[in-house]
Amino acid sequence: MTEPSGADGSFTFTFDGVPVRGVPGQAIGAALLVAGIRSVRRTPGGSERGMFCGMGVCFDCIVLVDRSTVRSCVTSASPGLVVSRLDGGAHADR
């Protein structure tokens, strides 16, 4: 589903193929947390990472969107967005 579906304008996007509900103005990371998804990437050593600072400073919450790494805490969710987990060693575009 790529069009707003709820009376509140809610929509869905996917994270690793799993549908996630978002609302207008919500960051990807916030939508993932609301959906119960706390880990968005793994370090080269296998440690899981997710939201830490929540304001775009630490880069722990980077995810892959359209072949680019973005900070999920400061990137807006949008209908039909395809978001993927990063596994080991990826760096955010700065």
mmCIF file of all heavy atoms in Angstrom, residues 41-49 60 62 86-91:
data_model
loop_
_atom_site.group_PDB
_atom_site.id
_atom_site.type_symbol
_atom_site.label_atom_id
_atom_site.label_comp_id
_atom_site.label_asym_id
_atom_site.label_seq_id
_atom_site.Cartn_x
_atom_site.Cartn_y
_atom_site.Cartn_z
ATOM 1 N N ARG A 41 20.450 -2.004 12.680
ATOM 2 C CA ARG A 41 21.672 -2.406 11.983
ATOM 3 C C ARG A 41 22.546 -3.239 12.907
ATOM 4 O O ARG A 41 22.306 -3.308 14.115
ATOM 5 C CB ARG A 41 22.459 -1.193 11.468
ATOM 6 C CG ARG A 41 23.157 -0.392 12.540
ATOM 7 C CD ARG A 41 23.984 0.754 11.938
ATOM 8 N NE ARG A 41 24.684 1.465 12.985
ATOM 9 C CZ ARG A 41 25.942 1.249 13.339
ATOM 10 N NH1 ARG A 41 26.665 0.326 12.724
ATOM 11 N NH2 ARG A 41 26.501 1.948 14.307
ATOM 12 N N ARG A 42 23.560 -3.877 12.331
ATOM 13 C CA ARG A 42 24.540 -4.642 13.106
ATOM 14 C C ARG A 42 25.934 -4.146 12.751
ATOM 15 O O ARG A 42 26.218 -3.850 11.592
ATOM 16 C CB ARG A 42 24.437 -6.127 12.786
ATOM 17 C CG ARG A 42 23.188 -6.751 13.355
ATOM 18 C CD ARG A 42 23.185 -8.275 13.185
ATOM 19 N NE ARG A 42 21.907 -8.799 13.590
ATOM 20 C CZ ARG A 42 20.860 -8.946 12.786
ATOM 21 N NH1 ARG A 42 20.961 -8.623 11.518
ATOM 22 N NH2 ARG A 42 19.732 -9.419 13.250
ATOM 23 N N THR A 43 26.778 -4.070 13.747
ATOM 24 C CA THR A 43 28.169 -3.668 13.525
ATOM 25 C C THR A 43 28.934 -4.833 12.904
ATOM 26 O O THR A 43 28.434 -5.963 12.878
ATOM 27 C CB THR A 43 28.850 -3.286 14.857
ATOM 28 O OG1 THR A 43 28.927 -4.457 15.678
ATOM 29 C CG2 THR A 43 28.090 -2.190 15.578
ATOM 30 N N PRO A 44 30.163 -4.599 12.407
ATOM 31 C CA PRO A 44 30.952 -5.707 11.863
ATOM 32 C C PRO A 44 31.145 -6.839 12.878
ATOM 33 O O PRO A 44 31.248 -8.002 12.508
ATOM 34 C CB PRO A 44 32.282 -5.063 11.500
ATOM 35 C CG PRO A 44 31.919 -3.645 11.196
ATOM 36 C CD PRO A 44 30.837 -3.306 12.185
ATOM 37 N N GLY A 45 31.146 -6.498 14.179
ATOM 38 C CA GLY A 45 31.299 -7.514 15.220
ATOM 39 C C GLY A 45 30.004 -8.212 15.595
ATOM 40 O O GLY A 45 29.990 -9.108 16.428
ATOM 41 N N GLY A 46 28.883 -7.790 14.998
ATOM 42 C CA GLY A 46 27.603 -8.438 15.246
ATOM 43 C C GLY A 46 26.729 -7.773 16.297
ATOM 44 O O GLY A 46 25.636 -8.238 16.568
ATOM 45 N N SER A 47 27.202 -6.678 16.894
ATOM 46 C CA SER A 47 26.389 -5.970 17.889
ATOM 47 C C SER A 47 25.236 -5.252 17.210
ATOM 48 O O SER A 47 25.406 -4.643 16.155
ATOM 49 C CB SER A 47 27.233 -4.939 18.643
ATOM 50 O OG SER A 47 28.257 -5.565 19.355
ATOM 51 N N GLU A 48 24.060 -5.317 17.836
ATOM 52 C CA GLU A 48 22.899 -4.638 17.279
ATOM 53 C C GLU A 48 22.895 -3.180 17.703
ATOM 54 O O GLU A 48 23.312 -2.837 18.804
ATOM 55 C CB GLU A 48 21.619 -5.334 17.720
ATOM 56 C CG GLU A 48 21.495 -6.712 17.124
ATOM 57 C CD GLU A 48 20.155 -7.349 17.391
ATOM 58 O OE1 GLU A 48 19.346 -6.790 18.159
ATOM 59 O OE2 GLU A 48 19.915 -8.410 16.813
ATOM 60 N N ARG A 49 22.438 -2.332 16.803
ATOM 61 C CA ARG A 49 22.349 -0.889 17.066
ATOM 62 C C ARG A 49 20.972 -0.398 16.676
ATOM 63 O O ARG A 49 20.319 -0.944 15.801
ATOM 64 C CB ARG A 49 23.402 -0.112 16.252
ATOM 65 C CG ARG A 49 24.825 -0.411 16.664
ATOM 66 C CD ARG A 49 25.101 0.228 18.024
ATOM 67 N NE ARG A 49 26.496 0.167 18.356
ATOM 68 C CZ ARG A 49 27.031 -0.736 19.172
ATOM 69 N NH1 ARG A 49 26.283 -1.662 19.711
ATOM 70 N NH2 ARG A 49 28.309 -0.705 19.440
ATOM 71 N N ASP A 60 24.069 5.932 14.983
ATOM 72 C CA ASP A 60 23.784 4.538 15.336
ATOM 73 C C ASP A 60 22.553 4.000 14.621
ATOM 74 O O ASP A 60 22.411 2.798 14.457
ATOM 75 C CB ASP A 60 23.588 4.380 16.851
ATOM 76 C CG ASP A 60 24.845 3.923 17.553
ATOM 77 O OD1 ASP A 60 25.874 3.716 16.884
ATOM 78 O OD2 ASP A 60 24.808 3.767 18.789
ATOM 79 N N ILE A 62 21.525 4.379 11.463
ATOM 80 C CA ILE A 62 21.533 4.434 10.003
ATOM 81 C C ILE A 62 20.877 3.204 9.392
ATOM 82 O O ILE A 62 20.995 2.094 9.899
ATOM 83 C CB ILE A 62 22.946 4.648 9.409
ATOM 84 C CG1 ILE A 62 23.917 3.560 9.840
ATOM 85 C CG2 ILE A 62 23.461 6.023 9.751
ATOM 86 C CD1 ILE A 62 25.271 3.641 9.167
ATOM 87 N N LEU A 86 21.121 -2.427 7.890
ATOM 88 C CA LEU A 86 22.520 -2.477 7.476
ATOM 89 C C LEU A 86 23.242 -3.501 8.338
ATOM 90 O O LEU A 86 23.101 -3.501 9.555
ATOM 91 C CB LEU A 86 23.191 -1.108 7.650
ATOM 92 C CG LEU A 86 22.722 -0.044 6.665
ATOM 93 C CD1 LEU A 86 23.287 1.313 7.061
ATOM 94 C CD2 LEU A 86 23.159 -0.399 5.271
ATOM 95 N N ASP A 87 24.003 -4.373 7.717
ATOM 96 C CA ASP A 87 24.741 -5.380 8.450
ATOM 97 C C ASP A 87 26.224 -5.209 8.251
ATOM 98 O O ASP A 87 26.757 -5.454 7.167
ATOM 99 C CB ASP A 87 24.311 -6.787 8.016
ATOM 100 C CG ASP A 87 22.989 -7.187 8.612
ATOM 101 O OD1 ASP A 87 22.742 -6.864 9.786
ATOM 102 O OD2 ASP A 87 22.193 -7.828 7.902
ATOM 103 N N GLY A 88 26.888 -4.713 9.277
ATOM 104 C CA GLY A 88 28.327 -4.637 9.344
ATOM 105 C C GLY A 88 29.020 -3.669 8.424
ATOM 106 O O GLY A 88 28.967 -3.778 7.212
ATOM 107 N N GLY A 89 29.637 -2.679 8.986
ATOM 108 C CA GLY A 89 30.573 -1.851 8.283
ATOM 109 C C GLY A 89 30.073 -0.726 7.406
ATOM 110 O O GLY A 89 30.875 0.036 6.890
ATOM 111 N N ALA A 90 28.786 -0.586 7.193
ATOM 112 C CA ALA A 90 28.291 0.501 6.339
ATOM 113 C C ALA A 90 28.430 1.823 7.067
ATOM 114 O O ALA A 90 28.315 1.889 8.278
ATOM 115 C CB ALA A 90 26.848 0.252 5.952
ATOM 116 N N HIS A 91 28.689 2.869 6.329
ATOM 117 C CA HIS A 91 28.831 4.200 6.917
ATOM 118 C C HIS A 91 27.797 5.140 6.313
ATOM 119 O O HIS A 91 27.463 5.024 5.144
ATOM 120 C CB HIS A 91 30.234 4.769 6.635
ATOM 121 C CG HIS A 91 31.306 3.942 7.272
ATOM 122 N ND1 HIS A 91 31.583 3.993 8.611
ATOM 123 C CD2 HIS A 91 32.144 3.033 6.738
ATOM 124 C CE1 HIS A 91 32.574 3.138 8.882
ATOM 125 N NE2 HIS A 91 32.926 2.555 7.761
#
